[in-house]
């Protein structure tokens, strides 16, 4: 619009109203090129890591290529040092040591790398009606009806009694077979269709089809199961009891891909929370010697409450931080109380197809940039970390100064539901923590959708946070 056409009202509106812009309207050509390159790399990261273990391995590979070294207790720590420590193969902490001492606090980006999926039970293999199946136990909040009749891959490890482990990844290489869970045909689904969505597919029917060909020249029982176990024995040398000490995860067999005629979005399994994990990681890998030490925490087990030795509540993070602090003779408590953490996790994007569960004025919107959440939680903010006004003001300043597109985000209508993140576990450590992340459509579905602009802006936001003084 021409300047002279603006009325006094227009000018006052511009000056006074909070009117976020669609991020695409403010993107320069250089930024767009960087955005596209960033998103191509992110898609590769998604395809390389379908489980928390695989994400850790890929993260180590990328970090080592940028000069990061494993950090062991007692090592000297100098400004500019790039260090990492893996926690039991399922979580990883990385740091770029800053110019200021650790007693001045650190800037942390914390995300999680576990995603909802179907885990195999300890005794999973069975045969029924001459078909072989695997029993599953779902992990995280899934809508069970979304997991039937899609191609599934099996990833994970089998730990053997002799101390060795076997890596399993079946379905992700070209030519690999995949697996699936069957569902009723509509012709016979009349009664099932009358049930509420949450009850139509009971958890114990999430059984993965793995074979149908009987063992040859045999008249005994369970010939299909026998044939499958025989194949597994030939390929991996395992027997049925070895499933007891395995962690095998059935994950959707989709590759990350562009969505839309305009290719403005990315569809994939596991955006929650690898989209923020990658932003935290990629921004850290870019750093030279920041003013304050930058720490990237990629945690496991967030989807089931951050419990366990590899979750955000584990002391592994404190041990890593205190080992760093010890190297500079800085008290860990002093470091924590001056630190800032961005708890980077996805938020729900406003979906016009389900508008009634969102409160439009406070929902994150696709393409409006990184979503800041002052609080998460459910009902009366139960389970929320609820960042202070001062902390939100600090983040506004840092992000605006760096030219990052961002927006405020609430998960949905009050009392419509809710959710949590690792934020409260960071805050419990006496670390100032704010939630922020990428808005997602179809969160926790086997195939989730995010906007490329929001991915890129979250990476830019993380970089600004790491570089803040
Ligand atoms: Mn999450
Ligand atoms: Mn989640």
């Amino acid at each position: 619009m021409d300047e002279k056409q603006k009325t006094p009202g227009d000018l006052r509106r511009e000056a006074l109203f909070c009117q976020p812009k669609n991020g695409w309207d403010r993107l320069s050509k250089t930024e767009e090129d960087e955005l596209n390159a960033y998103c191509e790399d992110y898609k590769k990261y998604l395809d390389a890591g379908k489980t928390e273990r695989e994400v850790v391995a890929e993260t180590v590979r990328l970090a080592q290529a940028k000069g990061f070294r494993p950090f062991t207790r007692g090592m000297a720590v100098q400004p500019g040092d790039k260090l990492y420590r893996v926690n039991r193969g399922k979580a990883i902490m990385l740091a770029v040591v800053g110019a200021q001492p650790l007693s001045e606090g650190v800037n942390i980006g914390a995300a999680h790398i576990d995603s909802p999926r179907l885990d195999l039970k300890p005794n999973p293999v069975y045969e029924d009606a001459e078909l072989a199946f695997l029993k599953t136990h779902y992990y995280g909040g899934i809508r069970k009806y979304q997991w039937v009749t899609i191609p599934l891959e099996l990833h994970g490890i089998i730990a053997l009694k002799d101390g060795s482990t076997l890596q399993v990844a079946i379905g992700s290489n070209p030519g690999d077979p995949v697996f699936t869970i069957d569902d009723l045909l509509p012709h016979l689904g009349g009664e099932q269709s009358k049930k509420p969505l949450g009850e139509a597919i009971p958890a114990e029917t999430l059984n993965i089809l793995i074979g149908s060909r009987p063992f040859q020249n045999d008249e005994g029982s369970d010939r299909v199961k026998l044939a499958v176990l025989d194949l597994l024995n030939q390929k991996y040398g395992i027997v049925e009891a070895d499933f007891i000490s395995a962690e095998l995860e059935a994950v959707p067999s989709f590759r990350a891909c562009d969505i839309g005629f305009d290719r403005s979005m990315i569809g994939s399994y596991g955006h929650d929370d690898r989209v923020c994990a990658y932003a935290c990681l990629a921004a850290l890998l870019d750093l030279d010697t920041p003013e304050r030490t930058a720490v990237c925490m990629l945690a496991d087990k967030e989807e089931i409450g951050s419990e366990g030795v590899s979750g955000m509540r584990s002391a592994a993070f404190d041990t890593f931080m205190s080992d760093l602090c010890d190297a500079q003779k800085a008290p860990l408590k002093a470091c924590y109380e001056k630190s800032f953490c961005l708890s980077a996790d996805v938020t729900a994007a406003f979906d016009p197809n389900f508008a009634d569960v969102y409160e439009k004025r406070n929902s994150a919107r696709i393409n409006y940039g990184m979503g800041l959440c002052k609080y998460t939680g459910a009902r009366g903010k139960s389970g929320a970390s609820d960042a202070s006004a001062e902390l939100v003001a600090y983040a506004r300043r840092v992000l605006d100064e760096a030219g990052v597109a961002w927006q405020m985000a609430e998960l949905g209508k009050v009392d419509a539901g809710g959710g949590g993140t690792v934020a409260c576990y960071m805050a419990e450590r006496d670390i100032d923590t704010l939630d922020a992340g990428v808005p997602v459509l179809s969160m926790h579905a086997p195939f989730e959708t995010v906007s490329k602009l929001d991915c890129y802006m979250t990476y830019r936001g993380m970089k600004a946070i790491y570089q803040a003084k």
Side-chain angles (χ1 to χ4, degrees):
M1 192 193 285
D2 205 352
E3 278 300 317
K4 64 189 173 218
Q5 287 178 321
K6 286 184 182 169
T7 65
D10 289 336
L11 293 169
R12 290 310 278 157
R13 226 170 258 119
E14 259 175 38
L16 299 178
F17 281 7
C18 178
Q19 291 174 312
K21 269 192 192 166
N22 188 304
W24 290 101
D25 292 333
R26 47 177 287 184
L27 208 65
S28 71
K29 179 74 182 85
T30 322
E31 285 177 315
E32 190 172 335
D33 291 344
E34 201 181 58
L35 176 155
N36 285 322
Y38 174 80
C39 288
E40 289 310 305
D41 289 342
Y42 170 49
K43 285 191 284 180
K44 287 182 199 139
Y45 188 73
L46 282 169
D47 289 338
K50 295 218 165 182
T51 66
E52 59 281 7
R53 287 178 192 267
E54 290 175 356
V55 174
V56 166
E58 180 64 4
T59 300
V60 167
R61 193 183 72 77
L62 294 173
Q64 284 181 343
K66 290 275 189 171
F68 281 71
R69 299 171 293 138
F71 174 58
T72 49
R73 189 165 304 139
M75 258 170 72
V77 168
Q78 307 293 340
D81 279 355
K82 299 179 172 192
L83 307 165
Y84 71 88
R85 181 179 290 172
V86 172
N87 177 11
R88 294 167 172 85
K90 299 183 186 188
I92 181 169
M93 298 149 285
L94 307 97
V96 179
V97 180
Q100 289 179 18
L102 283 151
S103 52
E104 291 305 306
V106 300
N107 291 326
I108 306 165
H112 68 91
I113 51 176
D114 59 316
S115 296
R117 61 185 189 242
L118 303 174
D119 286 342
L120 296 198
K121 292 193 185 193
N123 186 19
V125 195
Y126 74 99
E127 173 174 338
D128 197 353
E130 293 180 76
L131 295 171
F133 297 93
L134 294 171
K135 295 294 296 178
T136 67
H137 194 138
Y138 66 94
Y139 172 98
I142 64 162
R143 309 193 76 192
K144 299 177 194 82
Y145 72 90
Q146 296 175 335
W147 291 74
V148 296
T149 66
I150 59 167
L152 297 168
E153 300 176 2
L154 265 187
H155 292 243
I157 64 143
I158 302 167
L160 302 174
K161 283 197 288 184
D162 66 8
S164 64
T165 54
L166 299 166
Q167 304 287 327
V168 177
I170 306 167
S172 51
N173 292 314
D176 274 4
V178 291
F179 310 93
T180 195
I181 295 169
D182 38 74
D183 192 9
L184 263 182
L185 59 169
H187 317 65
L188 297 176
E191 284 306 312
Q192 184 199 41
S193 296
K194 288 180 197 159
K195 292 181 183 170
L197 270 181
E199 292 169 19
I201 306 288
E204 291 293 355
T205 64
L206 293 175
N207 302 317
I208 301 173
L209 185 60
I210 55 163
S212 71
R213 186 172 169 173
F215 195 81
Q216 281 189 325
N217 306 319
D218 175 74
E219 286 173 7
S221 63
D222 287 347
R223 293 195 303 149
V224 177
K225 171 178 168 176
L226 179 64
V228 167
L229 286 174
D230 187 46
L231 273 173
L232 292 176
N233 184 255
Q234 286 173 35
K235 179 158 182 185
Y236 297 105
I238 59 163
V239 296
E240 188 177 14
D242 292 324
F243 280 100
I244 290 169
S245 51
E247 281 180 344
L248 294 169
E249 308 175 7
V251 296
S253 186
F254 303 134
R255 289 181 77 79
C257 58
D258 289 347
I259 299 269
F261 289 116
D262 58 7
R263 296 178 172 270
S264 61
M265 296 165 282
I266 302 172
S268 175
Y269 164 66
H271 283 310
D272 179 8
D273 185 30
R274 289 154 198 163
V275 69
C276 297
Y278 188 67
C280 290
L281 174 67
L284 190 90
L285 297 185
D286 281 352
L287 297 177
D288 206 0
T289 305
E291 199 58 33
R292 275 156 53 103
T293 294
V295 176
C296 170
M297 169 76 219
L298 305 183
D300 180 31
K301 296 284 179 278
E302 192 279 340
E303 294 295 356
I304 58 169
S306 297
E307 318 272 356
V309 77
S310 52
M312 197 62 249
R313 301 170 86 163
S314 160
F317 177 74
D318 309 287
T319 306
F320 174 71
M321 290 304 299
S322 93
D323 286 349
L324 276 177
C325 285
D326 287 350
Q328 293 190 352
K329 299 197 166 47
L332 178 67
K333 289 174 188 169
C335 173
Y336 275 179
E337 71 187 9
K338 288 189 178 171
S339 292
F340 173 78
C341 175
L342 203 82
S343 161
D345 204 346
V346 296
T347 185
F350 177 78
D351 187 338
N353 291 309
F354 303 97
D356 53 331
V357 297
Y358 295 91
E359 194 267 283
K360 218 170 178 175
R361 289 176 184 82
N362 287 283
S363 288
R365 294 167 70 182
I366 286 286
N367 289 331
Y368 278 70
M370 180 180 191
L372 302 191
C373 307
K374 185 177 183 300
Y375 46 85
T376 58
R379 303 179 303 282
K381 300 193 181 179
S382 178
S385 162
D386 206 357
S388 72
E390 294 92 327
L391 207 65
V392 180
Y394 166 77
R396 283 175 66 195
R397 173 166 61 78
V398 170
L399 297 176
D400 280 346
E401 282 176 3
V404 176
W406 61 272
Q407 57 184 329
M408 286 312 288
E410 247 196 4
L411 189 68
K413 270 184 182 164
V414 182
D415 283 348
T421 66
V422 301
C424 51
Y425 309 115
M426 283 301 196
E428 272 175 10
R429 294 177 156 103
D430 195 21
I431 299 172
D432 275 319
T433 304
L434 175 63
D435 274 299
V438 176
V440 181
L441 291 168
S442 317
M443 193 197 295
H444 282 205
F447 192 71
E448 305 172 309
T449 298
V450 296
S451 119
K452 288 184 177 177
L453 183 122
D454 299 334
C455 295
Y456 170 66
M457 286 299 171
T458 301
Y459 151 75
R460 288 265 308 272
M462 275 320 306
K463 203 159 157 180
I465 293 294
Y466 286 143
Q467 288 173 332
K469 289 175 181 148

